[in-house]
Every structure is written in structure tokens, then in C-alpha cells.
Amino acid sequence: EKWVEYAKDNNALILFDSAYEAYITEPDIPHSIYEIPGAKDVAIEFRSFSKTAGFTGLRCGYTVVPKALKGLSKNGDEVSLNALWNRRQCTKFNGASYIVQRAAEALYSTKGRHQVKETIAYYMRNASLLRNGLSAAGLEVWGGVNAPYIWVKTPGGLSSWEFFDLLLEKCGIAGTPGLGFGPSGEGYFRLTAFGRYEDTVAAVERLSSLKLNK
Ligand SMILES: *Cc1c(COP(=O)(O)O)cnc(C)c1O
């Protein structure tokens, strides 16, 4: 709501990346920016099959550009962003291949929906395992709910990259230094739940035996 309000007040456009929408379980979290009143006037939303159904290699997603969205051309005329986007897509992109479209369509079948649910539950089980394990090891933890990533504060004032080296060398675990997300990420670290369950169990065991000095 704050973002939508800001965009309205400042003539700004929101690009809302909804890649993990399918991982939302808590009832009070919106699944789409358009659940916020007024968002159709200020927001574009991206949706992807990548994390919902393992389409990272197949490549399929879609973009919602509401017809109400208007921009200004160089000479100050109002232009429809939907029309601009449609022209751009029709000119520069010939569409997802037919076989990929059929695969994406299959997600909406009864069987497809069921399989997607199962897959996401599998990863979210990893997420809570990581979340609980890291927390029990004494680390400060965020995430792992409504999204398949777990964030930790690096212990003992280590930098993102120092903690990366420590986990790699002492535990054989690779993660993502927070610094890679920008300067505010320094001192934080991201672990993913997108692994095999057995590997996640092993990772938590190794992390727990680390003598972390907080
Ligand atoms: C994976 C990911 C994407 C990329 O989606 P693709 O459809 O594979 O291009 C975009 N945003 C976020 C946050 C992601 O994690």
C-alpha cells in the first residue's frame, strides 16, 4: 500500500517481481500487487514459471501491463504502456516455443496443480529445516516462510564473504553473500532451500557442529 501510494504521489512506476508467489502460505500476504487498490494505475507485474514448476531452463513467464497504465512521450503526449509493450513483444519476440507453452499449460491441470503443490512443499520442508537448524545453532534467522530462502546475520561480525569462506571450507556448504544484493546486504548471508532433502539435513548437521562465536 505504501509503495502504491508513493508511486501515485511521485508519478513513479512499480515493477513488481512475483517470482515466488506460489510459495506464499500466510493468509495476510498479497499474491499480486493488484490486490492493492489503485495498483492498476501504477504497477507492472512479472510472473514466472521458473520457481513454481522448475522452468528455469525451459524459460517461460508473463508480464501484466494494465491498460490503465499511462506514460508520457517525449513531446508530453500520454501513451498507453500496454500498447507500447504489446508492440515491443510483437516486434522483438516471436513467443515461447509451442512445446514450452504446452508444458506451462499443463501446470493448470488437476495433476499439474497437485505436482506443483508437492514440489513446493518439498522445498518448504527444506526451508523450515534450515530455518530451525540455523536458529538452534544460535544464528539470527529470517525468511524460510512464504519464500524458499533463509537469511542469517553472519556471526561474530564476519563479513558476508568471510562467512562464505568459513562455510565453504569448514562445512562444504556454498551460499550467497548478502553483499551481492547491494551494500545493505553486508553482514548477512543467504541459503537456499532448493536442494535435495538429504543434502539439506547434512548441511544442517555440519552447521550445528560449527563452533560459531557470536
Ligand atoms: C528466478 C528469479 C527470476 C527469474 O525468473 P525467470 O522467469 O527464470 O527469468 C526473477 N526474479 C526473482 C526474484 C527470481 O528469483
Side-chain angles (χ1 to χ4, degrees):
E1 278 165 6
K2 275 187 187 163
W3 292 342
V4 168
E5 215 168 284
Y6 176 90
K8 280 187 186 265
D9 292 346
N10 294 278
N11 213 8
L13 182 66
I14 297 171
L15 303 179
F16 189 77
D17 184 350
S18 195
Y20 295 98
E21 175 275 325
Y23 289 77
I24 296 172
T25 50
E26 290 183 324
D28 57 337
I29 311 270
H31 285 246
S32 164
I33 187 84
Y34 303 118
E35 289 177 45
I36 311 299
K40 273 188 182 160
D41 300 320
V42 290
I44 287 173
E45 182 164 311
F46 311 118
R47 294 248 169 159
S48 169
F49 293 91
S50 285
K51 315 300 166 25
T52 306
F55 266 55
T56 44
L58 282 179
R59 313 304 303 143
C60 195
Y62 56 96
T63 308
V64 182
V65 186
K67 296 216 165 109
L69 274 184
K70 299 281 188 276
L72 289 180
S73 71
K74 269 187 202 151
N75 51 19
D77 297 334
E78 217 174 52
V79 288
S80 158
L81 295 192
N82 178 283
L84 280 182
W85 179 249
N86 187 46
R87 181 169 173 224
R88 186 260 174 220
Q89 285 298 84
C90 295
T91 314
K92 296 192 176 179
F93 182 55
N94 278 325
S97 70
Y98 182 65
I99 197 166
V100 169
Q101 289 189 43
R102 292 308 301 262
E105 180 192 15
L107 300 192
Y108 298 102
S109 65
T110 307
K111 207 167 166 188
R113 281 179 205 270
H114 183 70
Q115 287 176 355
V116 162
K117 236 179 157 178
E118 262 184 359
T119 307
I120 290 175
Y122 179 93
Y123 291 128
M124 289 314 281
R125 181 175 169 222
N126 287 350
S128 61
L129 198 75
L130 276 170
R131 192 185 156 85
N132 297 336
L134 293 164
S135 181
L139 290 163
E140 209 179 334
V141 184
W142 298 267
V145 182
N146 303 312
Y149 298 103
I150 285 79
W151 282 88
V152 296
K153 173 117 195 67
T154 59
L158 293 179
S159 73
S160 293
W161 279 106
E162 283 167 344
F163 192 57
F164 173 89
D165 287 337
L166 179 82
L167 284 194
L168 188 60
E169 284 163 21
K170 296 272 185 347
C171 304
I173 294 171
T176 312
L179 190 60
F181 294 85
S184 304
E186 179 59 288
Y188 296 89
F189 198 78
R190 194 187 83 167
L191 287 158
T192 177
F194 285 130
R196 289 170 58 232
Y197 175 72
E198 294 76 12
D199 292 339
T200 309
V201 172
V204 168
E205 273 168 14
R206 289 183 209 167
L207 270 158
S208 307
S209 62
L210 248 193
K211 292 283 162 281
L212 295 170
N213 110 54
K214 287 151 260 150

